[in-house]
Amino acid sequence: MADLRVEVAGVPFKNPVIPASGAFGFGREYEKFYPLSKLGGISCKGTTLFLKDGNLPPRIAETPSGMLNSVGLQNPGIDAFIEHELPYLQTKDLTIIANVAGSTVEDCITIAQKLEGTAVDMIELNISCPNVKEGGAAFGSTPQMAAAVTKAVRGATSKPLMVKLSPNVTDITAIARAVEAEGADAVSLINTLLGMRIDINTRRPILKNNTGGLSGPAVFPVAVRMVWQVANAVKIPVVGMGGIASGRDAIEMMMAGASAIQVGAAIFADPYAPVKIVDEMNAWLDEKGIGSVKEIVGTVKPWGPDGQ
Amino acid sequence: MAYTQSLYPILRKQNLARGIYDYTVHCPEIASEAVPGQFVHIRVPGFQLRRPISICGINRQVGTIRLVMEIRGAGTEVLSRLNEGELIDLIGPLGHGFTLLSPHKKAVAGGGGIGVPPLLGAIAHYGENGTVITGFRSASAVILQDDFKAAGARAILCTDDGTMGEHGFVTGALQKLLETETPDIIYACGPMPMLKAVAAMAAEKGIECEISLEERMACGVGACLGCACRTIKNGVEGFSHVCKDGPVFNSKEVVL
Ligand SMILES: Cc1cc2nc3c(=O)[nH]c(=O)nc-3n(C[C@H](O)[C@H](O)[C@H](O)COP(=O)(O)OP(=O)(O)OC[C@H]3O[C@@H](n4cnc5c(N)ncnc54)[C@H](O)[C@@H]3O)c2cc1C
Ligand SMILES: Cc1cc2nc3c(=O)[nH]c(=O)nc-3n(C[C@H](O)[C@H](O)[C@H](O)COP(=O)(O)O)c2cc1C
Ligand code: FES
């Protein structure tokens, strides 16, 4: 049995596998399949200041090896999260990440302040949701805006702060460096890639929102590349996600530079995916005689210009 | 209540009509918990998302459920190639099923096309007090009539082209029935225009009405918030989720 414990910005996780925000709600549904304590942590559904209804349905479209979603951050609001969801999660013995999604900088500050003193172990500031008009991706699209919102939230919280980056930018490393400079303790990536599907019979987009976020195995190579680039550009830890569906995928992502990983769309195909990934990682490490999963982080040996 | 996900053997496969298959699956854990109107979420090899399919019949004694599915696209096409003896990956039972009153009450169910299978379990509960009105494109698409009769229900059949049963739609036949009878509850499953019409008739007559909705799903368990539908609960309009709060809703709660 390999040592699967990891730390991200000083926050301990009993293993590196964390269900991704939006794919796992607040964990209640999946506790009906297995105890949540099997997981390293949970990244909760993106939470706004007030209850948010989300976008009109249909919100889901299938794609080759993936899916689009345009849920639009439907959530009960931060007060309901703290009052109804957090007390339940606190009893489950896993690291709790609150995913904060304000539509203005002021909202982000207020949400972070409300989380002070709660059992939340870490804040994941979502500056990358492609499905809402204000906030979300708008914050993550330029280094200046990403820096400004990070600075504001940094000033409002004493909790470890992880900023979740959008892949829908020209240079994700510039954004990562900007949030690092303003005091982010970690970055997580990638959020979904903007996509679209059209029903050719009706000539209408499948999603009522017209466009949506692509995730699932289709995005995995893009995510590995971005995690690798960002891990090389910043000193703070990186949490990697995007298309991870197996223990081998998780190991690959960690070799690219991720200190821990999140699993989203794979859970829809197999609700046990996060638990299986933990077991598969453990088996692979044992087979290779590697004592601790931490030893593989960032160990990819890239080819040099000389082909060596 | 726990959810179950596993591979289950297909005991029997029958072709009911062109492109419509009837599977009997041995899954005692699901059969023991399931109620009419609930569904299972089926993994399709090679596809990212599972496919929701209603539970058409439940046999607790032998631990089987029955699934009737029509080929609609690439995923159901792959599922239709599964054969007896092969395994099928199900999560279930999912969602909120039909409210079943005392079997002495009178129930009427209206279903169109592939919306008919989920009504079998509900109407069977009422034996001779059940009436089912089903509608299909044409004689070649008609399914489950013998099953409804075997369950003791009165079965009124309509086809759009008049090739079998009454010439016309489910809504017309229901309208006629409601002129002379007042059931205690109406159930409906089928295309949206039909659901709207049935809900309107029930409202006009003041009869309880439950309808089964469809929406595109990812998780199937209420976590991803993908399968939203507009509802009014306690006077507040908002989104509910077909996979968890439904697929069966009280027609008064749904914004159609
Ligand atoms: C609660 C519920 C119960 C259902 N019960 C039955 C049943 O008993 N028998 C039956 O034959 N069909 C049933 N359906 C419809 C069935 O789920 C779809 O026909 C099927 O998902 C189509 O998949 P496909 O790959 O063949 O089609 P595609 O169009 O290729 O599918 C593409 C994507 O859209 C989704 N999708 C397409 N049509 C529908 C639809 N009508 N509802 C939900 N998602 C859809 C698919 O799941 C998939 O994710 C039910 C749907 C729901 C929501
Ligand atoms: C249905 C759905 C809802 C999501 N909601 C959120 C959200 O609220 N906040 C967020 O930061 N990311 C959200 N995401 C993005 C995921 O957390 C993750 O970044 C992305 O899906 C890539 O990982 P995957 O390929 O493993 O799904 C959502 C993804 C999906 C599929
Ligand atoms: S499909 Fe995920 S909430 Fe219904």
Side-chain angles (χ1 to χ4, degrees):
Chain A
M1 174 85 201
D3 183 356
L4 292 176
R5 288 172 302 170
V6 296
E7 272 181 20
V8 178
V11 180
F13 292 83
K14 75 169 88 63
N15 65 57
V17 181
I18 307 162
S21 179
F24 210 69
F26 301 102
R28 288 179 192 273
E29 290 76 22
Y30 291 94
E31 178 102 71
K32 293 184 182 173
F33 290 100
Y34 45 82
L36 300 182
S37 60
K38 286 183 181 284
L39 306 168
I42 175 174
S43 174
C44 296
K45 175 66 194 171
T47 306
T48 48
L49 188 51
F50 302 111
L51 174 148
K52 197 169 164 73
D53 253 357
N55 293 324
L56 289 175
R59 297 173 171 183
I60 301 287
E62 200 175 40
T63 70
S65 294
M67 61 175 286
L68 296 175
N69 90 82
S70 58
V71 169
L73 285 178
Q74 181 180 3
N75 77 91
I78 189 66
D79 292 337
F81 168 71
I82 293 170
E83 204 173 314
H84 302 300
E85 306 298 341
L86 202 49
Y88 166 83
L89 274 176
Q90 258 173 276
T91 64
K92 299 299 170 193
D93 181 30
L94 80 174
T95 303
I96 305 169
I97 304 173
N99 183 285
V100 171
S103 49
T104 63
V105 174
E106 291 68 39
D107 280 8
C108 293
I109 293 173
T110 313
I111 298 168
Q113 284 168 342
K114 284 178 183 271
L115 290 170
E116 280 296 283
T118 65
V120 164
D121 296 297
M122 189 176 211
I123 290 180
E124 182 176 55
L125 177 63
N126 178 6
I127 59 166
S128 46
C129 180
N131 294 324
V132 292
K133 285 194 187 66
E134 312 112 19
F139 288 142
S141 56
T142 68
Q144 292 74 21
M145 286 174 77
V149 64
T150 304
K151 185 177 182 181
V153 175
R154 174 73 292 168
T157 182
S158 59
K159 294 201 184 280
L161 177 63
M162 176 157 81
V163 179
K164 183 161 176 183
L165 307 182
S166 168
N168 303 308
V169 293
T170 319
D171 180 5
I172 195 167
T173 63
I175 314 273
R177 280 192 299 262
V179 305
E180 179 183 42
E182 292 302 343
D185 300 303
V187 286
S188 56
L189 62 141
I190 58 176
N191 208 316
T192 53
L193 284 146
L194 205 52
M196 182 172 187
R197 291 300 306 268
I198 298 166
D199 179 334
I200 60 169
N201 294 316
T202 60
R203 302 188 188 204
R204 314 262 352 212
I206 291 178
L207 300 174
K208 264 285 160 64
N209 193 48
N210 294 322
T211 61
L214 178 66
S215 63
V219 309
F220 182 63
V222 178
V224 171
R225 184 265 295 179
M226 288 189 162
V227 164
W228 179 63
Q229 288 178 323
V230 168
N232 284 305
V234 297
K235 295 193 180 62
I236 52 177
V238 178
V239 171
M241 78 194 89
I244 294 172
S246 69
R248 302 186 79 86
D249 294 345
I251 301 234
E252 185 173 336
M253 190 64 94
M254 291 185 77
M255 286 182 176
S259 298
I261 60 105
Q262 294 188 9
V263 183
I267 296 169
F268 306 147
D270 181 358
Y272 288 90
V275 178
K276 287 184 185 161
I277 290 172
V278 174
D279 293 343
E280 288 166 12
M281 290 180 88
N282 183 51
W284 187 89
L285 293 165
D286 283 352
E287 188 192 310
K288 300 285 172 190
I290 301 170
S292 162
V293 70
K294 286 182 207 159
E295 290 170 38
I296 65 168
V297 175
T299 54
V300 59
K301 292 178 276 184
W303 301 106
D306 56 353
Q308 295 302 310
Chain B
M1 192 197 70
Y3 289 144
T4 312
Q5 177 267 325
S6 195
L7 286 163
Y8 297 103
I10 296 168
L11 299 186
R12 207 159 92 101
K13 176 185 187 181
Q14 269 185 296
N15 184 200
L16 298 186
R18 206 177 71 195
I20 303 184
Y21 294 89
D22 177 354
Y23 288 100
T24 302
V25 183
H26 187 65
C27 49
E29 303 99 294
I30 296 179
S32 69
E33 302 247 342
V35 297
Q38 286 189 301
F39 69 98
V40 292
H41 215 23
I42 310 183
R43 189 162 186 181
V44 190
F47 291 78
Q48 174 68 27
L49 296 177
R50 288 174 178 261
R51 301 301 192 261
I53 298 291
S54 294
I55 296 171
C56 168
I58 305 159
N59 187 331
R60 292 215 170 81
Q61 279 77 40
V62 287
T64 58
I65 61 168
R66 209 172 146 191
L67 306 171
V68 174
M69 67 180 111
E70 180 173 35
I71 299 178
R72 282 296 180 87
T76 43
E77 203 277 326
V78 169
L79 288 175
S80 76
R81 282 188 253 141
L82 285 170
N83 283 314
E84 285 174 10
E86 293 185 303
L87 299 173
I88 187 166
D89 181 337
L90 307 181
I91 301 178
L94 298 176
H96 171 91
F98 292 107
T99 308
L100 300 178
L101 309 177
S102 147
H104 305 297
K105 300 271 183 179
K106 292 210 176 311
V108 172
I114 202 62
V116 171
L119 299 174
L120 179 58
I123 217 65
H125 170 78
Y126 297 92
E128 288 177 352
N129 294 317
T131 301
V132 64
I133 308 172
T134 54
F136 302 89
R137 257 175 298 113
S138 187
S140 62
V142 172
I143 56 168
L144 298 175
Q145 298 305 303
D146 293 341
D147 297 89
F148 282 113
K149 285 176 200 144
R154 170 169 55 142
I156 302 169
L157 171 65
C158 311
T159 50
D160 301 356
D161 63 1
T163 45
M164 204 174 184
E166 294 180 20
H167 188 172
F169 301 115
V170 170
T171 44
L174 178 64
Q175 180 98 56
K176 213 166 84 194
L177 182 137
L178 293 180
E179 282 164 16
T180 55
E181 297 175 34
T182 308
D184 298 292
I185 192 161
I186 299 176
Y187 305 114
C189 184
M192 193 47 87
M194 186 198 109
L195 296 182
K196 277 189 192 171
V198 172
M201 279 184 246
E204 195 196 304
K205 303 260 175 190
I207 302 168
E208 276 301 291
C209 176
E210 291 190 332
I211 56 178
S212 182
L213 300 185
E214 290 189 356
E215 191 46 75
R216 286 170 189 256
M217 294 184 182
C219 72
V221 297
C224 75
L225 312 184
C227 61
C229 67
R230 208 81 189 139
T231 53
I232 303 173
K233 287 195 170 162
N234 307 320
V236 186
E237 191 173 329
F239 284 120
S240 289
H241 295 281
V242 171
C243 72
K244 194 177 185 183
D245 309 309
V248 177
F249 291 90
N250 188 305
S251 64
K252 286 197 285 263
E253 282 185 351
V254 188
V255 184
L256 291 170

